[in-house]
Amino acid sequence: MASSGPSPHGDPGLQPERTALAWGRTMLALVTASAFFLRWLPTYGPPILMLPVISGGAALAIYLTQRRRYQARSHGLAGESIEADLPAVLWTAFAGLALGCLGIVVVLVS
């Protein structure tokens, strides 16, 4: 979900666009994982619903913050001062860790 208008830095294909594509791929992977988790529902029952909620929530958070993230990086590139979006990376890593831990717990307890 890149900007619909011209980018502030004037060169499409630079770092903000590649980063936006990477976040889009992460979002797609989380939605796909949600679908796989829902396939486990008949086997593991309602506790497995925590997994698609977390992965779907993480995908939704990425979608809702994508435009802000892209604009910040584009303006940072134009101003020659880009900072990494560390909170977004840490929240995504935390979601992945939570998915892994909950998946193991649900499978072992069921």
Side-chain angles (χ1 to χ4, degrees), residues 13-100:
L14 286 179
Q15 183 64 38
E17 286 77 14
R18 291 194 305 267
T19 303
L21 290 172
W23 279 108
R25 288 190 298 269
T26 302
M27 181 176 59
L28 181 62
L30 287 167
V31 170
T32 304
S34 296
F36 280 110
F37 292 143
L38 287 175
R39 289 191 61 184
W40 291 355
L41 185 59
T43 305
Y44 297 107
I48 204 74
L49 290 175
M50 291 184 294
L51 299 176
V53 167
I54 291 173
S55 59
L60 181 63
I62 289 171
Y63 176 77
L64 293 176
T65 59
Q66 185 77 319
R67 182 173 303 273
R68 175 195 54 81
R69 202 173 18 254
Y70 174 80
Q71 290 296 329
R73 300 306 165 261
S74 292
H75 288 290
L77 183 62
E80 297 183 6
S81 174
I82 297 178
E83 294 181 16
D85 192 1
L86 189 58
V89 172
L90 290 177
W91 276 109
T92 305
F94 177 74
L97 183 65
L99 285 171

